[in-house]
Amino acid sequence: MIDRIPSIDIVRFSTSGTEAIQTALRGARVFTGRNLIMKMDGSYHGSGDIAEYDSFVSPVRKGLSPHIDKEVVIGYFNDERTFQIIDQYKDQLAAVIVEGVMGAAGIIPPENGFLNQLQEKCRQYGIVFILDEVISFRLANAGAQEIYGLEPDITTLGKVVGGGMAVGAFGGRADIMSVFNPSKPNAVHHSGTFAGTPIAAAAGIAMLKKYQGETIIHLNEKGNQFAEDLKDLIYEYNLPLTVTHIGSLLNLHAIDTPIKTVDDVRRGNQTVLQAIQLAMLNEGVFFPKRGMMSLSTAITTDEFEFVLAMFDRVFKKYSMFIE
Ligand SMILES: Cc1ncc(COP(=O)(O)O)c(C=O)c1O
């Protein structure tokens, strides 16, 4: 992983992305001597308290610490407001954590150098810039940071880097990562019974060897083609739907205006999206009700064609319904 991701000098392993992120955030606090964390509205960074905090559900309703809003400040993906908020809290911010591509929120790629500007702001104020590549690592040899020309201070990883086994990892600048060095006095504690468990490590190494270069390019091309075919169907039936996509990641939205932010996603018609999801399930194709799809190297051309044929069938019914 160090060979593959130039921004990573040292990497540490855990059993999930959630744990990797919690630990990385602690490290950032100790490194900077500051407490506040910025995360983007609607982003998903696992199920730790900081990660779960968001603007639209009260912390108490989610069972989070009632003081969580003193520890986390919300930024907005692809939105200039974020930079003003960082200016406002610059002396208190330990870290800004952001996804390489907004994943669970609806596959929203960064626009107009948003992540580059974010990284620049963090550099300017000595804030640790954490890029969460738990989902976006699959997009290139070194993940979204390669695509967008980023050099995060810390990268968090999970999912594919375990080759299907339970894994999480975080790594980055040697000076920041050294706060975890157990041979140093007052090192930040990082342990876990199964952290870096040999089975996950072996599966991860096998995956890293197989999933690189041409294989990634090929899967991304398949994803782009699939997204274009889906868009063609939407166009053909003139449906109020939109597909966001990058490489092997895509998301169907029940809205017909462009999607650049999480607020755009929230304006979508969830009832329609869920109806399409259920109709697809009836045809033998499952995807989550939020419309996200991520392709795997194992999917064959026949399977792609089957899924598209089922979308065709469902969209045809839907078009009759709205006319
Ligand atoms: C971007 C992102 N970060 C972190 C996580 C959490 O990873 P885990 O489920 O391994 O705790 C996820 C999981 O979906 C994710 O999508």
Side-chain angles (χ1 to χ4, degrees):
M1 280 165 63
I2 290 171
D3 286 348
R4 239 167 108 150
I5 307 179
S7 67
I8 297 187
D9 301 324
I10 295 172
V11 64
R12 298 185 70 87
F13 292 94
S14 56
T15 21
S16 66
T18 295
E19 283 174 86
I21 287 161
Q22 283 193 165
T23 318
L25 291 174
R26 276 191 199 140
R29 281 176 163 159
V30 170
F31 183 76
T32 57
R34 304 174 189 162
N35 192 46
L36 201 60
I37 307 291
M38 174 183 268
K39 65 155 286 200
M40 305 300 133
D41 198 24
S43 65
Y44 186 66
H45 300 291
S47 46
D49 267 22
I50 293 173
E52 286 270 353
Y53 180 62
D54 237 322
S55 70
F56 60 98
V57 181
S58 89
V60 175
R61 263 199 58 207
K62 282 189 160 186
L64 307 182
S65 156
H67 309 295
I68 196 75
D69 57 352
K70 310 278 180 303
E71 297 180 18
V72 189
V73 62
I74 297 291
Y76 301 90
F77 196 81
N78 279 345
D79 189 328
E80 295 278 320
R81 276 181 296 171
T82 305
F83 308 125
Q84 289 149 21
I85 300 169
I86 295 179
D87 287 339
Q88 190 184 343
Y89 291 102
K90 63 183 190 305
D91 298 325
Q92 297 155 57
L93 276 168
V96 170
I97 182 163
V98 64
E99 291 174 75
V101 168
M102 285 290 261
I107 305 299
I108 311 172
E111 295 221 329
N112 307 326
F114 174 76
L115 290 179
N116 307 72
Q117 282 184 66
L118 200 56
Q119 175 175 287
E120 198 45 48
K121 269 277 174 213
C122 289
R123 290 267 151 81
Q124 188 186 343
Y125 296 135
I127 300 163
V128 177
F129 178 60
I130 304 180
L131 195 67
D132 183 350
E133 298 244 44
V134 168
I135 286 185
S136 57
F137 174 72
R138 61 158 48 228
L139 294 172
N141 274 341
Q145 57 195 272
E146 180 182 317
I147 298 172
Y148 300 110
L150 299 163
E151 201 182 347
D153 298 318
I154 302 275
T155 300
T156 56
L157 297 147
K159 295 198 194 288
V160 292
V161 296
M165 295 289 139
V167 85
F170 64 102
R173 272 170 47 188
D175 55 344
I176 303 176
M177 291 303 292
S178 71
V179 301
F180 298 102
N181 182 344
S183 65
K184 286 194 168 177
N186 302 322
V188 179
H189 181 69
H190 173 221
S191 76
T193 306
F194 293 110
T197 185
I199 293 175
I205 290 166
M207 186 289 305
L208 285 172
K209 280 186 186 152
K210 277 191 174 282
Y211 190 72
Q212 57 173 315
E214 284 299 313
T215 306
I216 299 181
I217 292 169
H218 190 55
L219 186 65
N220 285 342
E221 282 169 359
K222 273 189 183 170
N224 291 335
Q225 185 58 53
F226 184 72
E228 290 310 321
D229 290 348
L230 205 52
K231 283 184 194 173
D232 286 348
L233 281 178
I234 291 167
Y235 184 76
E236 192 182 319
Y237 292 109
N238 195 20
L239 298 174
L241 303 173
T242 297
V243 176
T244 52
H245 70 105
I246 174 166
S248 55
L249 299 167
L250 63 149
N251 210 113
L252 182 67
H253 302 271
I255 189 166
D256 56 2
T257 48
I259 291 188
K260 294 176 193 298
T261 67
V262 172
D263 282 339
D264 295 334
V265 175
R266 288 180 187 148
R267 276 192 284 273
N269 187 331
Q270 296 312 313
T271 312
V272 167
L273 193 57
Q274 283 176 29
I276 293 174
Q277 189 239 2
L278 280 179
M280 286 297 287
L281 198 55
N282 281 338
E283 305 293 351
V285 179
F286 173 78
F287 55 85
K289 65 180 182 200
R290 61 178 188 270
M292 183 182 168
M293 288 163 250
S294 65
L295 310 184
S296 92
T297 49
I299 302 178
T300 63
T301 307
D302 284 354
E303 284 159 344
F304 277 114
E305 281 171 6
F306 172 77
V307 174
L308 281 168
M310 295 309 112
F311 267 118
D312 192 335
R313 196 183 276 191
V314 167
F315 286 175
K316 192 177 202 166
K317 281 186 202 154
Y318 175 31
S319 68
M320 291 188 293
F321 177 70
I322 58 172
E323 265 166 14

